[in-house]
Structures are given as structure tokens and as C-alpha cells.
């Protein structure tokens, strides 16, 4: 009888923990723009820690997931089409920036064959492996801002050059 109560108590605690995990995952799926689904096999703790550090440096996250809990959390979200990708040892990389998580995940997968990208989604649109890799090649938000500022400054430089050109030609 004591054993039955102990098992029941453990089950309730485990269920509460699982509900918290599902709620946390649902919050991730509802608040992020990009999800990259990966499979990892044989990734050491040191390698996983290094990957997480790289993700954190760019404002992204890498999280190992339990497939059954992800499938519960993903229901009713924009990422529900990813459900079939959660087989085996899976982890998700996610970020608000539409490129950050994909960049780090793809570059890490190139260096370490223990991490394999199997798909993803951007703002609810499903991405296959090729599209995730193409997304990773795009410039980041900060790089785009720098390019935009450069484009804004270029016309004013050209205008100043054109205005000075007649005076230079007249002097010559």
C-alpha cells in the first residue's frame, strides 16, 4: 500500500514536471520566428556546451527535446507541420532573428558530423534542409543594417562628387 502511494506521488510529480516542460516549449513555439530541427548522435557534453555558447552569443538557443512533449507543445502553433521531424534524438535551435540560429546550426553541422539538420520553419513556413542552409547564408540583421546605412551614404557621396566635378574640370 505504501509502495502504491509512492508510485502515485512520483507519477503526479512527473506529470507536473512534464506539463511545465510542455508549457515552456509552447511558449517557445509561440514567441519565436525560426525553429531549426536537428538530430544529434554521439554529441559530447563539451560539444553541446560549445554549441549552446555559440548560440547564446548571437541571441539564439539550442535545446534537446523529448519528442512526445514537443508533439504536445507544437499542436495549434504555427510550427505544427514540423511534427513528423521529431523522431530519434532531436534538438531544436531557435531565435527571434530569422537567421541567427540557422547560421550557427549549419556552421556547426559542417564542422561536426554528429549534428545533422533535418529541417525547420520560418514564421510557420516549413523549410527543408536545403532552405535552412540557404537561410544560413543570408546576412544577419546587423549586417543588413550596416549595408543599408552604407547604401544611404553612397548616394550623398556621389552627389558631392558630381557637384565638385565641374569645378575640377574648369580648373583643369
Amino acid at each position: 500500500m505504501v509502495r502504491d502511494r509512492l508510485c502515485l506521488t512520483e507519477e503526479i510529480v512527473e506529470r507536473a514536471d512534464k506539463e511545465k516542460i510542455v508549457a515552456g516549449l509552447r511558449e517557445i513555439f509561440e514567441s519565436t520566428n525560426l525553429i531549426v530541427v536537428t538530430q544529434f548522435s554521439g554529441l559530447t557534453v563539451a560539444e553541446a556546451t560549445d554549441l549552446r555558447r555559440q548560440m547564446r552569443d548571437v541571441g539564439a538557443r539550442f535545446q534537446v527535446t523529448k519528442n512526445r512533449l514537443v508533439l504536445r507543445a507544437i499542436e495549434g502553433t504555427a510550427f505544427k507541420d514540423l511534427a513528423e521531424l521529431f523522431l530519434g534524438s532531436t534538438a531544436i535551435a531557435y531565435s527571434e532573428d530569422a537567421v541567427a540560429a540557422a547560421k550557427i546550426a549549419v556552421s556547426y553541422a559542417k564542422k561536426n558530423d554528429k549534428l545533422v539538420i533535418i529541417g525547420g520553419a520560418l514564421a510557420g513556413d516549413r523549410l527543408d534542409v536545403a532552405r535552412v542552409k540557404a537561410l544560413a547564408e543570408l546576412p544577419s540583421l546587423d549586417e543588413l543594417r550596416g549595408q543599408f546605412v552604407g547604401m544611404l551614404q553612397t548616394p550623398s557621396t556621389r552627389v558631392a562628387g558630381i557637384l565638385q566635378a565641374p569645378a575640377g574640370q574648369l580648373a583643369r
Side-chain angles (χ1 to χ4, degrees), residues 26-156:
R26 181 174 295 278
E27 186 177 318
I28 289 168
F29 289 126
E30 289 175 347
S31 66
T32 191
N33 288 328
L34 174 69
I35 298 284
V36 178
V37 182
T38 65
Q39 285 186 336
F40 62 96
S41 180
L43 202 62
T44 66
V45 173
E47 291 168 333
T49 302
D50 181 46
L51 177 58
R52 284 187 177 100
R53 182 191 51 73
Q54 290 179 32
M55 289 280 184
R56 249 190 327 269
D57 289 347
V58 297
R61 296 282 183 257
F62 180 78
Q63 182 175 346
V64 175
T65 57
K66 288 191 174 229
N67 295 337
R68 208 174 326 156
L69 299 180
V70 168
L71 294 177
R72 287 184 187 166
I74 210 168
E75 291 175 5
T77 68
F79 299 104
K80 64 184 176 294
D81 294 339
L82 296 178
E84 65 190 35
L85 297 179
F86 290 95
L87 301 169
S89 301
T90 58
I92 57 172
Y94 58 94
S95 64
E96 276 299 311
D97 183 351
V99 180
K103 269 187 184 283
I104 299 299
V106 168
S107 71
Y108 196 85
K110 283 180 184 176
K111 293 184 276 184
N112 191 335
D113 60 351
K114 296 175 188 174
L115 182 73
V116 178
I117 297 180
I118 57 174
L122 176 62
D125 293 330
R126 186 161 175 185
L127 304 172
D128 60 1
V129 176
R131 289 178 65 194
V132 171
K133 290 180 179 179
L135 182 64
E137 294 175 7
L138 293 175
S140 70
L141 186 58
D142 288 336
E143 291 170 340
L144 285 174
R145 286 180 181 146
Q147 290 175 357
F148 183 67
V149 169
M151 286 174 38
L152 289 176
Q153 291 176 344
T154 300
S156 61

